[in-house]
Each structure stands twice: as structure tokens, then as C-alpha cells.
Amino acid sequence: MTTFLLVHGAWHSGRAWDRVVPLLESAGHRVLAPSLTGYGDKKHLLSPEIGLDTHVQDIVDLLRAEQDVVLVGHSYAGLVISSAANEMPDRVAELVYLDAMVPEDGETAVDVQPISQRLIDLAAQHGDGWRVPPLPEQPTPFGLFGVTDPADVVWLREMLSDQPVRCLQQPARLDNPAARAIPRTHIRCVGATPEGITRRPVPAIQPNGTPSQVWELPTGHDCMITMPVELSELLLKLA
């Protein structure tokens, strides 16, 4: 039995994994899919003080009670899982970057995905400056985070919360040599990508010296909603 710890991205909640969790569990595995502080059942905790460090601590607290975890981070959560593994490398068997930001030591979300700064600037111009509202739905084929089915868009919209700016400005900490030994897998969504979204190439060689493992899904960004079966099949290869 493998324990999968699924970490959602910016604006989302743990409910984003609702279609993936039962598929992994039915294959005999244990799955944790928490909402980070400020989202889902923790939405009432949303505040200007919440940052990347808060979310890293959320995951570190869970890892303390686990062993040999496959740690999956979607989108912004690439920064979260990287820093959490830096803190608890002995608890992580594999890091999975799911269409995710992949930082270097000291980088922020703005460094990895420069459009984040534009969102921060808009929040300052049109809001209270400390939080970024969810992105608007765009015309097909982009939809809402790559989700285009009308019913799914409604469901997804209901779970979204504002993203604290501090999450996009705090740096990832990747200074623990032990964390470099953790195997890494990259799953990329290769459907339509909205203008302004950039994607770094995956290094040919992982930090542990082995060739990078890269899988692709022909869908938009929120593949856990649009292609849960196919995503689960990829994750089960790591069990």
C-alpha cells in the first residue's frame, strides 16, 4: 500500500481531487487530499498573513506522521511540495510535479511564473492588495483552468477562494542536500495554454543524477477534473 498526499494549487481546495481519490483508494492505496490554510474547510482562515511558508507547514505537519509518501503538487503547489520535502526528506518517497511550478532554491512563484506579478499588481489596483481573486473563465478551449464542461465549471467555481499575495512572494527553501536524492516525476498537461502562461523545460537530469521522468496528458491545467482516470493510472505507476 502506498500513501499518496495530493496538494492542490492556488485558489483551489482539497475537493479538486474528488475524482482521483476514489480511483487510487479502489486500487488499495491510502490517499490524503487536504485543503491548505485559507481554502475549502479552512477558508475562514484566509488572511494577509498566509503565505507559502504557511502552506509548507500544513504539509510538513502531515508528513510527520507518515512514511514513504508519494507527494503530488499541482500548479502553485510545486513550490509547496519542494519546500516540504526539503524539511522532511526522509518521509518522501517520490515528488510528483503535476503541471506544476518547479522552483530553484530562493525562487518565488513570481520568479517561476512571471504572470504572477501581473496578478499581484491588479490586486493592488482593484482590491485590497493582499489577495488575488480566482482567474476568470476564458473562451474555449481555455475555459476555467482548462475545464470547459459547463457543469464542471460550475462545480470548480464553487470551490475557489482568493489567493494571498504572500503565497506568491515568499521564496521556496531547497537547501537540504538530502532532498536532492528524492526521485521526481513530472506530469504535464499539454492542452491549450492561455496567453502569458510560461513553462520551464524539465531538466534532462534530476537533482539525484537520474534522467527526468516526464509524462504528458492531452488536456488543460486541471487534469484531475478533466482526466481523472488517466491521471490516476499514471500515479499508480509510482505505487
Side-chain angles (χ1 to χ4, degrees), residues 61-123:
D61 288 344
L62 289 173
L63 288 174
R64 293 188 194 283
E66 304 296 336
Q67 291 287 347
D68 298 325
V69 172
V70 175
L71 185 55
V72 182
H74 177 242
S75 195
Y76 153 77
L79 282 78
V80 179
I81 67 169
S82 296
S83 291
N86 191 70
E87 295 293 322
M88 305 287 286
D90 59 317
R91 305 304 173 98
V92 181
E94 181 99 21
L95 286 169
V96 181
Y97 293 90
L98 179 57
D99 217 36
M101 298 183 185
V102 184
E104 299 291 340
D105 184 35
E107 286 191 325
T108 69
V110 172
D111 295 319
V112 181
Q113 189 59 258
I115 196 175
S116 300
Q117 186 59 55
R118 190 188 311 172
L119 300 177
I120 292 171
D121 294 341
L122 288 172

Side-chain angles (χ1 to χ4, degrees), residues 5-9 12-14 32-43 45-47 49-66 69 71 76-77 79-81 83-85 87-88 163-164 167 170:
L5 175 47
L6 311 178
V7 187
H8 64 82
H12 292 57
S13 78
L32 304 174
S35 290
L36 299 172
T37 299
Y39 306 96
D41 59 341
K42 302 174 184 175
K43 184 177 180 178
L45 300 175
L46 189 71
S47 76
E49 288 70 39
I50 293 173
L52 173 61
D53 289 352
T54 311
H55 294 155
V56 171
Q57 192 62 50
D58 288 341
I59 301 307
V60 166
D61 288 344
L62 289 173
L63 288 174
R64 293 188 194 283
E66 304 296 336
V69 172
L71 185 55
Y76 153 77
L79 282 78
V80 179
I81 67 169
S83 291
E87 295 293 322
M88 305 287 286
Q163 176 81 352
C167 296
Q170 285 189 324

Side-chain angles (χ1 to χ4, degrees), residues 95-178:
L95 286 169
V96 181
Y97 293 90
L98 179 57
D99 217 36
M101 298 183 185
V102 184
E104 299 291 340
D105 184 35
E107 286 191 325
T108 69
V110 172
D111 295 319
V112 181
Q113 189 59 258
I115 196 175
S116 300
Q117 186 59 55
R118 190 188 311 172
L119 300 177
I120 292 171
D121 294 341
L122 288 172
Q125 294 171 15
H126 303 291
D128 51 26
W130 67 265
R131 54 184 169 179
V132 178
L135 300 179
E137 183 180 356
Q138 300 183 53
T140 301
F142 306 115
L144 182 62
F145 296 104
V147 177
T148 56
D149 179 87
D152 286 347
V153 169
V154 171
W155 177 65
L156 174 57
R157 177 65 69 186
E158 290 175 349
M159 80 172 71
L160 300 179
S161 303
D162 292 346
Q163 176 81 352
V165 165
R166 193 176 176 90
C167 296
L168 308 176
Q169 295 176 324
Q170 285 189 324
R173 295 188 177 91
L174 310 176
D175 56 359
N176 186 346

